[in-house]
Amino acid sequence: MDKDPEIRGLNTKTSRRDFMKLSGILLTGAAIRPLDKASRIIKPETMAHSKDPQLRMLSRFERKTNLKINSMMMFVGFPESIQDAVNAAATMSASLKEWANFGIKPLVIMEPTTNGGQNLMNIENFHNSANYQYTKAYFEELKNDGVTDEQMGTWVPFPEPNLPEWAGAVTDPNIFAQNVTDVAQLIKGTFPNAAVSIYLDNQTFPNGDVNWSSGTMAESALAPYVTAFGQSKGYYGGLIESFGFQGFPWNNTDDPAEYLNSGNVISLTQQLSVNKAWLNTGTFSKIIDPNLNPPRLVKATAEQRSLQLEGVLKQAQEVQNAGIEVGINIFAENKFNGESSNADYSYKSPQISLLSGFIEQANLSNMPVSLWLAPRNY
């Protein structure tokens, strides 16, 4: 990711009022009004007419914030047949090339699903399954379609392996490490200079915990997901370039020091023997908190969201101070539909200025920011 040698580190003593000013918001009593923004680089208007819906969405976001975004998250599944691999590769290659045209580096989350995310893929014994052969064909087709190593960006196969959300509620660290090793070898065998990463959730659940009843945030439960690579067949140093860590607030008073703990990130990154880390997080404007009894709606004010964004920067700064390169992905989708566990992580005006101020401050601290923006949210 782009880095400016003139950039200096974040002043962690920045006051909340200074942060709100950087965010383009001025607190005047109870009133919130946007501040004038300095001119910034904006991508060509032609991105607004791209065939790729995520690029059109990014174009709208950039016009609203006057920011230049260099990286975005995207989600893909696994092919379920050779023909599906060919078709999926054709679609993906068009997207990767289009993103490259506008200087956007993809952070590709490769979930163990098939049929457009409708079906969960069996993740046990992946190497000996037909899915492995289909996946091999998929990356070969991407190469045949003219995709370059640089256009591939960073791929994250089998994300959130410590959550029981995939087929069979499998959270076995050894299965995860072997599966990632297998896919990473397929990627590197075809695109030697493409990047591969992993990312864990801040909570870990026992294997087969279909009721999500025994989660823990202890580092001792997270560590096996990185140490297991030492026993994975075919794993070698350099196969994985970075470590990702995910944490989100459930309440408007939740502290990033707990749900995005820098100590865990530093320790796990070092145990994986890499020097790059990235955080996946966001803040909500409203959420149905399932941890309350009964679950009920919780809302967050602009100031509460600002405090949490400040806390995210502080955790990232602590990781950076440990000598680790760190980036941040902001998940900014409105997932709220009134059902349990749903939240609105998007930033509507005037709170979009909170996000733009956060991005500016992260950039000043040499912490590249990528985004996940969902259709119709911006």
Side-chain angles (χ1 to χ4, degrees), residues 99-171:
W99 284 37
N101 285 341
F102 294 99
I104 306 297
K105 296 180 180 180
L107 176 61
V108 185
I109 309 301
M110 194 174 193
E111 298 182 326
T113 62
T114 59
N115 190 27
Q118 298 301 307
N119 301 325
L120 297 178
M121 183 182 76
N122 185 350
I123 63 176
E124 298 182 271
N125 200 27
F126 170 76
H127 183 82
N128 296 317
S129 71
N131 292 106
Y132 176 86
Q133 298 301 324
Y134 305 151
T135 305
K136 183 175 185 291
Y138 172 73
F139 289 116
E140 290 172 348
E141 283 298 316
L142 285 177
K143 187 73 169 182
N144 293 338
D145 287 343
V147 174
T148 67
D149 291 35
E150 178 69 19
Q151 292 169 346
M152 284 286 285
T154 298
W155 286 65
V156 189
F158 301 97
E160 302 166 334
N162 51 340
L163 296 181
E165 61 182 325
W166 309 117
V170 173
T171 60

Side-chain angles (χ1 to χ4, degrees), residues 220-281:
S220 59
L222 292 161
Y225 291 88
V226 295
T227 59
F229 284 98
Q231 287 76 50
S232 297
K233 182 179 179 181
Y235 182 78
Y236 57 87
L239 190 64
I240 295 171
E241 283 88 349
S242 62
F243 171 76
F245 192 71
Q246 172 174 276
F248 287 84
W250 284 106
N251 205 294
N252 52 28
T253 58
D254 285 350
D255 187 350
E258 296 179 0
Y259 64 80
L260 209 61
N261 183 268
S262 62
N264 285 346
V265 177
I266 293 167
S267 175
L268 294 166
T269 302
Q270 292 172 342
Q271 289 182 64
L272 191 59
S273 298
V274 297
N275 198 46
K276 295 181 180 179
W278 55 280
L279 311 177
N280 186 45
T281 190

Side-chain angles (χ1 to χ4, degrees), residues 250-251 287-299:
W250 284 106
N251 205 294
I287 190 171
I288 293 180
D289 187 348
N291 299 311
L292 300 177
N293 189 17
R296 61 182 181 270
L297 181 68
V298 176
K299 294 184 177 181

Side-chain angles (χ1 to χ4, degrees), residues 177-346:
Q178 189 61 62
N179 287 347
V180 170
T181 298
D182 290 340
V183 173
Q185 286 185 324
L186 293 179
I187 293 172
K188 291 287 194 176
T190 313
F191 301 95
N193 295 316
V196 178
S197 183
I198 65 170
Y199 94 86
L200 306 179
D201 191 75
N202 62 1
Q203 285 197 81
T204 301
F205 291 80
N207 195 48
D209 186 3
V210 295
N211 295 319
W212 297 59
S213 59
S214 302
T216 174
M217 296 175 70
E219 184 196 340
S220 59
L222 292 161
Y225 291 88
V226 295
T227 59
F229 284 98
Q231 287 76 50
S232 297
K233 182 179 179 181
Y235 182 78
Y236 57 87
L239 190 64
I240 295 171
E241 283 88 349
S242 62
F243 171 76
F245 192 71
Q246 172 174 276
F248 287 84
W250 284 106
N251 205 294
N252 52 28
T253 58
D254 285 350
D255 187 350
E258 296 179 0
Y259 64 80
L260 209 61
N261 183 268
S262 62
N264 285 346
V265 177
I266 293 167
S267 175
L268 294 166
T269 302
Q270 292 172 342
Q271 289 182 64
L272 191 59
S273 298
V274 297
N275 198 46
K276 295 181 180 179
W278 55 280
L279 311 177
N280 186 45
T281 190
T283 69
F284 64 82
S285 61
K286 59 182 177 180
I287 190 171
I288 293 180
D289 187 348
N291 299 311
L292 300 177
N293 189 17
R296 61 182 181 270
L297 181 68
V298 176
K299 294 184 177 181
T301 65
E303 187 169 6
Q304 287 169 328
R305 298 185 85 181
S306 172
L307 283 171
Q308 289 179 332
L309 287 170
E310 282 185 83
V312 170
L313 285 174
K314 183 178 180 181
Q315 295 307 302
Q317 182 70 66
E318 290 175 358
V319 175
Q320 190 179 67
N321 290 344
I324 297 169
E325 294 181 34
V326 63
I328 305 168
N329 183 77
I330 294 295
F331 189 95
E333 177 183 358
N334 181 2
K335 298 183 62 129
F336 189 87
N337 63 9
E339 298 178 3
S340 179
S341 299
N342 277 273
D344 183 356
Y345 296 107
S346 65

